[in-house]
């Protein structure tokens, strides 16, 4: 009897060891994925902001058309800055804008306020170059301006060519290089677009002429050659 009980106990122990050991062959979720799978996940990641711009040479900034995008809350909205795309990126909507129409040849600069106090705004200059009247939602802009009425501007999560509200003049110079025009509280560069038929200008007003002064108005204008 004792021998039979011992054999039964040994069998139970072997069964238990096999059951416990079986779980070790299955790796936790996510571990053991192949290099190809990881590479595929990396390739499917969303693209970042426009590529870095090289400092100016002789006051001329050479950019790609993608660099002309305005970045709103991490989303790059490309030129011609469609109103719907700006709103989708986080610019507060205003139902009254939907009623704006542009006749052929009309220009219209829209004030897109970014804050409740209306101290910060974007102002794309829309143009109707067609033969028919269009709604503002279908209009295109080749110029856009960032403006603040604050005497001490601070970053609002919006940038043009990497320049944000409140960015110090010394930091702007270090990033973009020497401007073609420097009037103390005003910088201006000429723009050349390397991959499209555009040229234009990029200008910044600062709160004063000190190196620590913050950017208060930033304007990018492109003109089709």
């Amino acid at each position: 009897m004792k021998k039979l009980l011992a054999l039964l106990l040994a069998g139970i122990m072997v069964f238990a060891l096999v059951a416990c050991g079986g779980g070790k062959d299955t790796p936790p979720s996510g571990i053991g994925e192949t290099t190809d799978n990881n590479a595929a996940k990396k390739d499917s990641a969303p693209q970042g902001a426009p590529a870095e711009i090289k400092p100016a040479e002789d006051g001329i900034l050479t950019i790609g058309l993608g660099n002309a995008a305005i970045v709103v809350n991490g989303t790059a909205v490309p030129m011609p800055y469609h109103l719907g795309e700006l709103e989708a990126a986080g610019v507060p909507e205003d139902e009254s804008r939907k009623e704006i129409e542009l006749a052929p040849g009309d220009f219209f600069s829209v004030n897109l306020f970014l804050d409740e106090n209306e101290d910060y705004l974007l102002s794309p200059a829309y143009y109707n170059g067609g033969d028919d009247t269009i709604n503002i939602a279908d209009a295109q802009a080749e110029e856009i301006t960032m403006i603040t009425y604050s005497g001490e501007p601070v970053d609002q999560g919006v940038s043009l060519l990497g320049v944000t509200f409140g960015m110090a003049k010394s930091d702007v110079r270090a990033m973009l290089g020497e401007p073609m025009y420097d009037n103390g509280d005003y910088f201006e560069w000429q723009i050349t677009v390397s991959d499209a038929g555009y040229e234009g200008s990029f200008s910044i007003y600062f709160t004063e002429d000190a190196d620590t002064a913050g950017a208060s108005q930033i304007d990018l204008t492109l003109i089709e050659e």
Side-chain angles (χ1 to χ4, degrees):
M1 179 64 73
K2 290 182 179 180
K3 187 173 182 179
L4 180 59
L5 289 174
L7 289 173
L8 288 173
L9 181 60
I12 291 170
M13 291 178 66
V14 170
F15 178 78
L17 287 172
V18 170
C20 291
K24 296 179 181 179
D25 294 334
T26 304
S29 177
I31 298 176
E33 293 180 345
T34 65
T35 302
D36 290 343
N37 286 340
N38 289 333
K41 287 188 176 181
K42 184 179 291 185
D43 291 342
S44 64
Q47 296 298 311
E52 185 178 352
I53 299 170
K54 294 182 179 179
E57 295 184 7
D58 299 323
I60 300 174
L61 284 168
T62 300
I63 67 172
L65 191 59
N67 293 119
I70 187 166
V71 178
V72 180
N73 299 327
T75 299
V77 179
M79 194 273 286
Y81 316 116
H82 286 293
L83 182 58
E85 294 184 17
L86 288 168
E87 291 176 342
V91 174
E93 297 183 27
D94 184 340
E95 288 296 319
S96 65
R97 295 176 194 145
K98 297 179 180 180
E99 301 175 3
I100 301 172
E101 293 190 339
L102 278 68
D106 278 358
F107 279 96
F108 193 92
S109 293
V110 185
N111 291 334
L112 310 177
F113 291 100
L114 301 173
D115 64 319
E116 292 183 356
N117 294 329
E118 298 187 349
D119 288 331
Y120 296 87
L121 65 111
L122 305 181
S123 184
Y126 290 110
Y127 174 64
N128 179 8
D131 298 325
D132 301 312
T133 296
I134 61 173
N135 186 272
I136 191 70
D138 299 317
Q140 299 185 356
E142 295 178 343
E143 177 179 1
I144 192 165
T145 304
M146 297 167 51
I147 308 171
T148 180
Y149 302 116
S150 172
E152 298 181 354
V154 295
D155 186 7
Q156 299 294 306
V158 181
S159 65
L160 270 173
L161 272 60
V163 180
T164 62
F165 285 118
M167 188 171 183
K169 188 169 76 168
S170 58
D171 292 337
V172 172
R173 192 195 303 270
M175 180 175 68
L176 297 181
E178 291 295 328
M180 182 164 286
Y181 303 105
D182 178 356
N183 293 334
D185 63 350
Y186 175 79
F187 282 176
E188 183 178 322
W189 295 262
Q190 288 187 359
I191 295 287
T192 297
V193 180
S194 60
D195 57 354
Y198 287 90
E199 61 183 8
S201 64
F202 184 61
S203 60
I204 304 172
Y205 284 95
F206 299 92
T207 53
E208 55 181 339
D209 60 4
D211 283 343
T212 55
S216 59
Q217 179 172 325
I218 304 146
D219 181 89
L220 176 61
T221 302
L222 296 177
I223 301 170
E224 193 169 5
E225 297 177 335

